[in-house]
Amino acid sequence: MTLAPDITDLLARARADIRMGVPVVLTGTGDGGAVLLAAETASPERLADMAGLSTETCLVVTGRRAETLRARAYDGDIARLPLPRGVTPSWVRAVADPSDDLKTPMKGPFNALRGGDASLHRLAVDLVKEARLLPSVIVAPVKDAVDFASKNGLTSLPAEESAATMGAEALLDPVIRARVPLLLAPDARLHVFRPKDGAEEHYVIEVGSPPRDRPVLARLHSACFTGDLLGSLKCDCGPQLRAALAQMGSEGAGVLLYLNQEGRGIGLANKMRAYSLQDQGFDTVEANHRLGFEDDERDFRLGAALLLRMGFSAVRLMTNNPAKIDMMRRMDIDVVERVPLKVGKTPQNEAYLATKAAKSGHLL
């Protein structure tokens, strides 16, 4: 019978549950496992129930967030923080969300947990990240995890299989393509690709009829709602998008991959949190770290997969980001030329661009 959900389906269901504030169960080896609840969406009732499940229930934050909180990340990339007696959602969110750190600077001191297996806690953080929420999660160990999930109607995920699936390259299915004349590239077609894991769709804009046996002018462009659509002056994304399409239109051929990885892969809400932190004086990298994210959470394997799916194996890549070039080459895409894309500098984004060059290695 093929009607039952497979691991990819279960992960998609789990992401939806996590965003709604519904707990998810992770099953480990034997009968043991853990229940997770995203810090951002935890209701008072569910938080109280989670705290009552075990004396070892804890709030898990990333190592980056732990640095800001002055908490010891004994597990390296994460820190497990015990819950205080009578824990409330406001305490959880104050620890998880740095937006109000300057208003509530006194949180702690934290006596982070150490010892034992933290693999389920680490996987819980990864799941919350994939749900585009703050990377902080409440985790409670439980016995008979499968039975616990069944009795409470919760999505149950086998931990080892889930981790392997989440780390694998995304599988993309073509949905439809149609001609869409663009202002800057009248001879254009839009291809829609849908990931098998239920995540956001990605798009390919093919300009002209580029031959598959020669390097194609290509651009990997990550979605930027504020820059691409609203014309924000805080970044150079909109000008880069239009400049790339203009050059492709002028040359009569090209391919632009529009990847739905807003805010360097952290989602629009977290991107706005980062903007709020920038208003407090932190640069773009510092803001991401205070939120608990790495400098860049995007997966450029998506771009390589789409290029190969479209029949391209060699590119003239329009980018200022060496990380994109490195990933294309690791995925067997031959980058024969880097085409600089230096546009969109404004008084409002001058510091942002300088930070990208100094801290992220962008060639500006």
Side-chain angles (χ1 to χ4, degrees):
M1 181 70 77
T2 61
L3 298 179
D6 62 17
I7 186 61
T8 301
D9 303 325
L10 289 173
L11 282 167
R13 181 184 293 176
R15 286 195 300 271
D17 288 349
I18 288 167
R19 287 182 62 84
M20 293 186 295
V22 178
V24 169
V25 176
L26 299 174
T27 60
T29 55
D31 293 333
V35 186
L36 70 94
L37 177 67
E40 183 176 340
T41 54
S43 68
E45 297 79 14
R46 283 184 168 136
L47 176 59
D49 287 343
M50 288 286 291
L53 286 177
S54 170
T55 57
E56 298 178 22
T57 300
C58 59
L59 174 63
V60 187
V61 299
T62 67
R64 291 294 191 185
R65 181 62 180 151
E67 289 176 15
T68 299
L69 296 169
R70 301 291 190 269
R72 291 287 186 90
Y74 291 114
D75 301 306
D77 55 342
I78 61 171
R80 293 171 286 160
L81 308 179
L83 300 182
R85 187 184 301 274
V87 62
T88 63
S90 61
W91 181 89
V92 169
R93 287 172 189 146
V95 175
D97 188 349
S99 299
D100 291 330
D101 276 353
L102 296 183
K103 295 180 182 177
T104 56
M106 301 303 292
K107 295 185 284 287
F110 297 99
N111 295 313
L113 301 176
R114 62 193 305 177
D117 185 3
S119 59
L120 294 184
H121 302 79
R122 185 172 289 108
L123 179 58
V125 171
D126 290 340
L127 280 165
V128 173
K129 277 188 178 182
E130 286 208 346
R132 298 292 188 262
L133 299 176
L134 284 167
S136 301
V137 59
I138 299 125
V139 177
V142 291
K143 297 179 179 179
D144 302 320
V146 174
D147 184 58
F148 181 91
S150 177
K151 287 181 177 179
N152 290 279
L154 301 177
T155 300
S156 175
L157 297 172
E160 187 173 343
E161 189 178 2
S162 296
T165 302
M166 290 165 61
E169 180 185 337
L171 300 176
L172 300 158
D173 285 331
V175 178
I176 189 65
R177 65 177 182 178
R179 191 174 69 88
V180 183
L182 304 177
L183 179 64
L184 299 171
D187 184 13
R189 288 173 302 285
L190 179 65
H191 303 249
V192 177
F193 287 84
R194 182 173 298 152
K196 290 183 180 295
D197 64 1
E200 299 94 340
E201 293 171 348
H202 305 283
Y203 315 120
V204 176
I205 301 167
E206 184 181 12
V207 177
S209 300
R212 268 52 177 176
D213 59 350
R214 294 201 301 273
V216 63
L217 181 63
R219 163 76 180 160
L220 275 66
H221 188 89
S222 298
C224 178
F225 172 77
T226 51
D228 297 343
L229 186 62
L230 302 183
S232 168
L233 300 177
K234 283 180 67 70
C235 65
D236 55 346
C237 302
Q240 285 187 328
L241 173 64
R242 289 181 282 278
L245 287 173
Q247 185 164 340
M248 291 174 188
S250 176
E251 294 190 13
V255 57
L256 187 141
L257 314 178
Y258 197 88
L259 308 177
N260 270 312
Q261 299 189 112
E262 179 81 44
R264 295 193 208 134
I266 66 176
L268 183 59
N270 286 322
K271 174 180 166 180
M272 291 301 99
R273 289 186 172 110
Y275 276 14
S276 176
L277 291 170
Q278 290 172 36
D279 289 340
Q280 296 176 25
F282 300 102
D283 68 34
T284 181
V285 171
E286 292 167 344
N288 268 29
H289 290 177
R290 292 184 76 87
L291 284 165
F293 295 104
E294 295 303 315
D295 301 19
D296 196 333
E297 297 274 352
R298 289 174 292 182
D299 185 356
F300 293 129
R301 294 179 302 175
L302 287 168
L306 286 172
L307 283 167
L308 293 171
R309 195 66 183 262
M310 293 287 293
F312 300 107
S313 59
V315 297
R316 297 164 50 222
L317 192 62
M318 303 185 74
T319 186
N320 303 322
N321 187 354
K324 291 182 180 179
I325 298 172
D326 292 343
M327 181 55 73
M328 293 303 101
R329 288 174 173 161
R330 285 166 54 191
M331 298 295 291
D332 295 325
I333 300 290
D334 183 15
V335 182
V336 301
E337 179 188 359
R338 182 185 77 87
V339 181
L341 197 56
K342 298 180 181 180
V343 295
K345 186 175 181 179
T346 69
Q348 293 87 351
N349 68 28
E350 187 174 1
Y352 163 77
L353 296 178
T355 299
K356 285 209 298 183
K359 294 189 175 182
S360 301
H362 285 227
L363 304 172
L364 298 172

